[in-house]
Amino acid sequence: MSTQPFNFSHAMYRLCSDVSRRLPEFHHVDMDRIAVAFAQARRNVPYGMQAKLTPLRFENGALQTTRYGRKWTVQRVYQDQQEMLYILTFYLPRFLNHSFKEKMITVLHELYHISPAFDGDIRRLAGHYHVHSHSQKEYDAHMAVLVDQYMKLNPPSELFGFLKCRFSTLQKKHGGVVGLQIPIPKLIPVTDTRIA
């Protein structure tokens, strides 16, 4: 057993950084502006949310949006004095209790949501269903192809090996699993302070 708990956020950061270097579809991703976090799944069941990407800007990278006739901004998130543009959150233990391929598909699924402009907004696909196009099944099938392409590039096994373990295995091997936990940023109403 390791004397240090396993740092999930650090391991996932390294894996995502390598994906962004190796696959052209992710070259726009700058992991230094993405906070990698985990949240505890409320129930230890295999179904339900595995991960999510939280954009910290609005459409086209805007700092403000208008909803119901009112202006809003979003709470800012900083890490080591660097402002983050996204939060990438994985739900543990649920996420780690799937197959290796499913876990890799989930990782790429969330990274692919990042806008090609890397402006804090999400990738907006054509049509009414702009998040996953018309079919999440087809979206994930595309991610499976990208996972296969990534693995054919022979990335170092130490980058993805942790995803071959279930949560309980990592916990026993390292004496615990730790990582960054970030509350979901709040929407904040914008007060117009201009003097008439």
Side-chain angles (χ1 to χ4, degrees), residues 130-155:
H130 66 270
V131 176
H132 295 112
S133 73
H134 65 285
S135 167
Q136 184 171 333
K137 191 173 181 181
E138 286 183 21
Y139 181 102
D140 282 339
H142 179 47
M143 295 306 108
V145 170
L146 293 178
V147 168
D148 290 341
Q149 289 176 7
Y150 175 68
M151 296 310 294
K152 284 176 184 174
L153 295 171
N154 296 314

Side-chain angles (χ1 to χ4, degrees), residues 104-117:
M104 285 296 298
I105 288 171
T106 297
V107 172
L108 269 60
H109 175 125
E110 298 305 329
L111 289 178
Y112 199 75
H113 279 317
I114 294 170
S115 165

Side-chain angles (χ1 to χ4, degrees), residues 5 15 19 24-25 43 52 58-59 64-65 73 77 97 103-104 122 137 147 150 157 162 175 178 194-195:
L15 172 62
V19 168
E25 292 82 356
R43 292 186 297 160
K52 73 176 174 184
F58 301 104
E59 192 166 353
Q64 295 181 7
T65 191
T73 189
V77 174
N97 291 342
K103 285 182 260 195
M104 285 296 298
I122 60 168
K137 191 173 181 181
V147 168
Y150 175 68
S157 60
F162 74 101
V178 299
R194 289 177 298 176
I195 298 172

